[in-house]
Amino acid sequence: MRRLALQAVISFSAALPPLAWAAPDAPQPVAANAVDATSFVGQTRSLEASPRQPGAVDLRKAMLRWLVETPDYQVTICDVMGLPDLPDEPKEPVVLGLDLLMQQSFGNLAYQIDHGSEGDELSRQVAGVESAIKAYQAFVAADSTWQFPAMDVLAAQQKAGTLRTHLAPVVKAECGDGAASAPPPFLGGVLRATSVVYPVQVADWKAVGERRYDSVGAGASVRYQQAGREHGWIDVYFYPVGRLEPHERAGLVESERSGLLEARKGAMARKDDMSRIDSLRFTVPALGEGSPDHVEASAMDFGFHRDGKQYSSVMILALDRLYAIKLRYSVETSTASRKKARRELEEFAGALLPQLDIVSSGTCGDVPADARVRQRLGCVETDSALPVVGEGRREMRFEYAPPRDAVTH
């Protein structure tokens, strides 16, 4: 469905009778008279979370009209959700399907505003469907009679992390051979080079060595130690992960936790001795106007034994500027209990993270420059000049060549 068909949806939605969508405790409506690229993403998220809010019908019409008329973006809506066809005459039961169709188009355009309009069509379609799923789940939470089996299937695929795989052949069939083409490679495409500048000294912890790993995607690590403490150390790992959605971030954290369990299972008192995963937030300098001044992190701790000694161990995993920054602290329990070790690593992370400079170059996923600042990507399209590494700081530089099958001859 292209722009012409979306014009028909405007006319069709205008003919529908107004419904009493709003619940008594519904939030205040989002203004429908100020739709532009700046407000569109926020309005889309508002309709995802509260599709029955007061004024939602008028807001959808205004957003859909702006979507059709804007010359800056092109939205192609593929028939991938299995919604019922629009009838010749408006009927009340089709209202939800129409709302979801519009939400699909809003999610598609919001993705383009945030990520750039030159990305692959499959990613746009997935974003549109994910937006519709959120609105659908909010609808059904309020009234279970509005369930669509096809939407329940899509929601289950999303929960299982297989929605993109599920939609790829459907999008290709509905939108043509070019729609589901593979996105450019992450390493060698989105990222072509990265500079990481870190402090040699963090409080009374001093960097004593670097280690680069054989796999280019595994990055490198820096070890910090305190003078006179041979059996206590902090390893800080840097490796590229890209821009992760919340479920992908949760999957990465759980993968790191599972890796620790597997590596230490023979040295731990019991498997359930590992703490739950807690969320942290660290204050860091903003990268520009509109940029977040904090990074989110996850933390957990456990105990293990080695060579007849007991150790306290803590992991903190933060994501910043397309990189994972993983801190691992292991120390003899006689020196620091798990609680104390946890506190010491949180203090170390709070001092280290604001001092890190991470700058990458590449296509940056074709995200517009202002959106890259808002999303704290730390990426520029052209290779920046070599950084000025001041006294007491060191640089690690990573170069990423495109995969062989991505190189044309």
Side-chain angles (χ1 to χ4, degrees):
M1 180 180 296
R2 299 181 185 272
R3 284 177 179 261
L4 207 52
L6 289 174
Q7 287 278 20
V9 171
I10 294 178
S11 300
F12 188 89
S13 62
L16 288 171
L19 298 179
W21 282 121
D25 58 348
Q28 292 301 306
V30 177
N33 59 354
V35 179
D36 54 27
T38 301
S39 64
F40 194 92
V41 175
Q43 290 163 332
T44 297
R45 304 307 174 221
S46 175
L47 287 175
E48 289 173 355
S50 183
R52 295 167 16 119
Q53 62 184 267
V57 173
D58 290 336
L59 177 59
R60 288 190 184 92
K61 292 175 184 177
M63 291 175 66
L64 189 60
R65 188 171 298 281
W66 184 84
L67 180 152
V68 170
E69 294 175 354
T70 178
D72 300 323
Y73 300 94
Q74 176 73 51
V75 174
T76 300
I77 298 300
C78 303
D79 183 12
V80 297
M81 296 199 299
L83 298 175
D85 294 332
L86 300 182
D88 294 333
E89 296 294 333
K91 296 179 181 179
E92 185 171 313
V94 82
V95 173
L96 178 60
L98 180 62
D99 287 341
L100 295 179
L101 180 62
M102 287 190 281
Q103 192 67 43
Q104 181 188 6
S105 68
F106 301 157
N108 183 311
L109 181 51
Y111 177 88
Q112 293 187 51
I113 293 172
D114 268 347
H115 296 79
S117 58
E118 302 302 320
D120 65 294
E121 187 64 42
L122 176 59
S123 293
R124 298 186 212 170
Q125 296 299 323
V126 172
V129 172
E130 288 181 333
S131 183
I133 289 172
K134 291 177 182 177
Y136 168 72
Q137 291 173 327
F139 273 122
V140 173
D143 187 346
S144 61
T145 64
W146 287 98
Q147 282 189 286
F148 282 163
M151 291 301 297
D152 289 333
V153 170
L154 293 173
Q157 293 282 354
Q158 183 188 39
K159 185 176 182 180
T162 57
L163 182 63
R164 185 182 179 90
T165 302
H166 170 78
L167 287 177
V170 184
V171 171
K172 184 175 182 179
E174 294 293 334
C175 285
D177 290 340
S181 58
F186 174 52
L187 297 182
V190 176
L191 292 187
R192 293 176 184 153
T194 298
S195 167
V196 177
V197 178
Y198 64 90
V200 173
Q201 190 92 19
V202 179
D204 56 350
W205 295 86
K206 185 175 181 179
V208 295
E210 293 179 2
R211 179 182 177 186
R212 290 181 178 256
Y213 297 94
D214 293 337
S215 170
V216 67
S221 63
V222 179
R223 173 161 290 191
Y224 287 85
Q225 281 189 299
Q226 292 175 317
R229 188 188 287 191
E230 297 180 1
H231 301 290
W233 62 93
I234 296 175
D235 289 323
V236 182
Y237 301 82
F238 301 90
Y239 59 94
V241 293
R243 181 178 178 273
L244 301 184
E245 298 297 332
H247 71 279
E248 295 172 317
R249 178 192 182 97
L252 175 63
V253 175
E254 185 55 41
S255 175
E256 289 286 357
R257 185 178 189 275
S258 298
L260 281 175
L261 279 172
E262 181 63 27
R264 297 294 188 187
K265 63 183 179 182
M268 293 175 59
R270 56 188 184 277
K271 183 178 179 181
D272 60 0
D273 193 41
M274 184 174 285
S275 75
R276 67 180 185 180
I277 297 172
D278 295 316
S279 297
L280 303 174
R281 174 178 287 192
F282 294 98
T283 300
V284 294
L287 302 182
E289 185 176 356
S291 168
D293 61 356
H294 62 272
V295 296
E296 305 292 338
S298 301
M300 44 151 295
D301 59 80
F302 64 99
F304 69 94
H305 61 83
R306 187 178 66 186
D307 299 331
K309 296 181 179 179
Q310 290 293 128
Y311 286 85
S312 301
S313 190
V314 188
M315 181 187 79
I316 293 177
L317 181 66
L319 300 182
D320 188 21
R321 287 167 280 187
L322 304 176
Y323 270 71
I325 305 165
K326 181 175 68 174
L327 298 85
R328 281 285 314 279
Y329 179 27
S330 295
V331 60
E332 288 186 17
T333 305
S334 59
T335 300
S337 65
R338 282 171 55 177
K339 183 177 181 180
K340 181 180 179 182
R342 174 82 167 251
R343 184 174 64 253
E344 287 183 346
L345 188 60
E346 289 182 11
E347 291 173 352
F348 178 91
L352 171 72
L353 293 175
Q355 298 187 64
L356 295 177
D357 288 329
I358 304 176
V359 179
S360 299
S361 60
T363 68
C364 306
D366 296 318
V367 179
D370 57 343
R372 295 199 296 267
V373 173
R374 292 197 307 271
Q375 297 173 29
R376 199 177 170 83
L377 300 190
C379 188
V380 294
E381 293 177 349
T382 56
D383 198 2
S384 58
L386 292 177
V388 176
V389 182
E391 185 177 353
R393 297 168 66 79
R394 289 179 186 157
E395 182 197 23
M396 293 189 296
R397 192 166 181 85
F398 305 96
E399 303 286 344
Y400 301 116
R404 291 183 180 178
D405 57 1
V407 179
T408 56
H409 300 281

